[in-house]
Amino acid sequence: MTTLHNYGWNDFHQKFYNSKPTDLSVGRVISIQGFKYTLITSGGEMEAELSGKLLFGSEGDDLPKVGDWVSFLDYGESGYMVNVFPRENELSRKNPGPKTERQILAANIDYALVVQSLDRDFNIMRLERYLVQIAACRIKPVVVLNKVDLISDPQYYRDEISRLRRGCPVFLCSTITGQGIDELIASFEPGKTYILIGSSGVGKSSLLNLLMNNSIQKTAGMSDTTMKGKHTTSTRSLFLLPGGGILIDTPGMREFGLTFEETGDRDEFFPQIKALAGNCRYPDCRHMGEAGCSVLDALHKGGLDADLYESYLKLMREQKRFEIKAGDKKRLGKQFGKMTKEAKAYRKKYKY
């Protein structure tokens, strides 16, 4: 399976394949348009359709996504997908709007390239939101700051990101001048899967074209109305990079809501909070007014930025909202209301 190894086939998928002996062929989903799927197989690209089992017997999250590995019946010119392999992970977000449904963007990802542009798009708290969700999805983040040719002080932006203490690589690039592109290309690892995410107009399509050394995606100029980049990508697609590595492009996102559910240690997604929480009096401290809270102590003494703490509160409230499901809406709704009251009272008391 030399071709499939180039597209991310690894020991995880091989182990499952070996556990289910079958005569079915294997491929990876590289594009989806409606119910039209394109797979990469050991023989090249192939169009495929869903079996009745997948189409009618699966929930939305269980249907094949870009990046999924599937087994299929090979009919020569087309395939008939029968099973979806277990996923190593999946990058998801809350569906835009008031509902608490989850949308899976892609599956089996090693690195997420979070792209922001150094014009009006740069927003450190929006970046924090992306990084929290990526960590919850067990994916390694990489920050790509595009349009570095528009600014005079790149170090300011590096320092802003350092405040988050995420320890992730940061690349300052320009798709116009080519600055930083070679360094970004050199960071890609053969056989690893990367995904491009970010708002509309930050230059993801232009970046993809440079990384592919080709005009893969259409690009557009600035909007005369908003003076922001125009949205051009409308589907998720997977590409093999010339120097190795696999890259998934995605449409621009106006919203990137959290989808992780309650875990034993929710602080693990917030490095600054976790570093301080070890000294809290109570192991289940929520850092919202409890006695002996080392996080709040650090906030009072200037050891924790107020905006980062506020971001933590906001994201945790959002995470709690996502947890509200049919059978638990009343119970979790009360918890959410109490949590919001405590946060408001705390801000009022300490006037920060």
Side-chain angles (χ1 to χ4, degrees):
M1 295 185 176
T2 303
T3 301
L4 297 188
H5 279 292
N6 292 340
Y7 277 88
W9 182 265
N10 59 29
D11 292 342
F12 178 87
H13 311 301
Q14 186 69 51
K15 183 177 180 180
F16 175 76
Y17 180 80
N18 292 341
S19 70
K20 305 283 185 180
T22 178
D23 294 331
L24 297 174
S25 300
V26 174
R28 191 175 194 188
V29 179
I30 62 174
S31 179
I32 304 173
Q33 296 187 10
F35 286 100
K36 178 183 176 183
Y37 290 75
T38 303
L39 309 179
I40 186 68
T41 74
S42 56
E45 291 187 15
M46 171 184 289
E47 290 189 6
E49 62 183 60
L50 297 171
S51 65
K53 173 187 171 183
L54 287 178
L55 185 59
F56 301 110
S58 302
E59 300 291 336
D61 286 358
D62 298 326
L63 290 171
K65 311 298 180 187
V66 170
D68 265 324
W69 290 93
V70 299
S71 54
F72 65 95
L73 291 167
D74 189 346
Y75 293 129
E77 294 184 356
S78 63
Y80 189 69
M81 291 181 287
V82 177
N83 292 304
V84 180
F85 281 38
R87 295 165 178 157
E88 290 188 275
N89 56 34
E90 51 199 25
L91 180 60
S92 63
R93 66 168 178 173
K94 186 185 78 67
N95 259 332
K99 294 184 178 180
T100 57
E101 298 171 348
R102 188 175 72 140
Q103 177 191 26
I104 296 178
L105 303 176
N108 301 308
I109 300 161
D110 297 291
Y111 297 91
L113 306 181
V114 186
V115 185
Q116 288 198 340
S117 59
L118 297 179
D119 50 14
R120 299 181 185 181
D121 180 76
F122 182 79
N123 184 307
I124 193 66
M125 291 299 102
R126 185 192 305 137
L127 179 60
E128 172 83 335
R129 167 184 297 276
Y130 276 94
L131 297 179
V132 168
Q133 180 63 14
I134 289 167
C137 293
R138 296 180 291 110
I139 298 169
K140 298 175 184 177
V142 177
V143 177
V144 180
L145 302 181
N146 190 27
K147 305 184 184 181
V148 68
D149 53 294
L150 299 180
I151 54 131
S152 58
D153 184 14
Q155 190 57 43
Y156 166 79
Y157 297 93
R158 289 190 182 276
D159 292 342
E160 280 290 282
I161 295 171
S162 294
R163 282 203 301 133
L164 302 179
R165 298 186 186 176
R166 295 277 169 181
C168 55
V170 178
F171 293 89
L172 278 77
C173 302
S174 169
T175 56
I176 301 298
T177 67
Q179 180 179 340
I181 299 298
D182 287 343
E183 290 83 354
L184 179 59
I185 291 174
S187 72
F188 288 110
E189 301 176 41
K192 299 295 184 181
T193 301
Y194 300 75
I195 187 168
L196 277 171
I197 57 175
S199 306
S200 298
V202 296
K204 296 193 306 297
S205 295
S206 297
L207 184 60
L208 174 64
N209 289 337
L210 282 175
L211 297 175
M212 291 293 296
N213 195 26
N214 201 350
S215 295
I216 300 295
Q217 296 284 29
K218 293 181 180 179
T219 59
M222 302 289 285
S223 165
D224 293 332
T225 304
T226 65
M227 294 306 293
K228 294 182 180 181
K230 297 177 182 178
H231 171 85
T232 53
T233 304
S234 58
T235 61
R236 283 174 279 281
S237 301
L238 183 151
F239 303 94
L240 183 64
L241 294 169
I246 306 107
L247 187 61
I248 298 173
D249 192 22
T250 65
M253 302 174 197
R254 289 186 177 88
E255 296 182 36
F256 198 72
L258 304 186
T259 65
F260 66 91
E261 297 184 13
E262 186 107 25
T263 65
D265 183 9
R266 65 184 183 179
D267 294 343
E268 66 179 313
F269 306 131
F270 301 87
Q272 287 231 52
I273 301 296
K274 185 174 179 64
L276 297 166
N279 293 321
C280 288
R281 181 180 301 174
Y282 305 109
D284 59 347
C285 183
R286 296 175 303 160
H287 323 306
M288 292 185 180
E290 295 90 341
C293 176
S294 58
V295 173
L296 298 179
D297 184 56
L299 179 66
H300 300 158
K301 296 177 179 178
L304 175 64
D305 288 346
D307 55 349
L308 292 181
Y309 177 70
E310 185 66 25
S311 175
Y312 166 79
L313 291 180
K314 179 179 180 180
L315 293 176
M316 290 311 303
R317 290 196 299 270
E318 183 176 323
Q319 178 263 349
K320 179 61 69 175
R321 187 182 295 117
F322 179 75
E323 289 178 6
I324 298 176
K325 298 177 181 175
D328 289 328
K329 281 188 177 180
K330 187 174 181 179
R331 177 179 62 82
L332 290 176
K334 287 182 178 179
Q335 290 180 7
F336 174 74
K338 182 180 178 182
M339 197 176 187
T340 301
K341 275 186 182 178
E342 289 174 346
K344 286 181 179 178
Y346 190 79
R347 284 196 296 271
K348 184 176 179 180
K349 180 178 179 180
Y350 291 99
K351 297 179 181 180
Y352 74 88

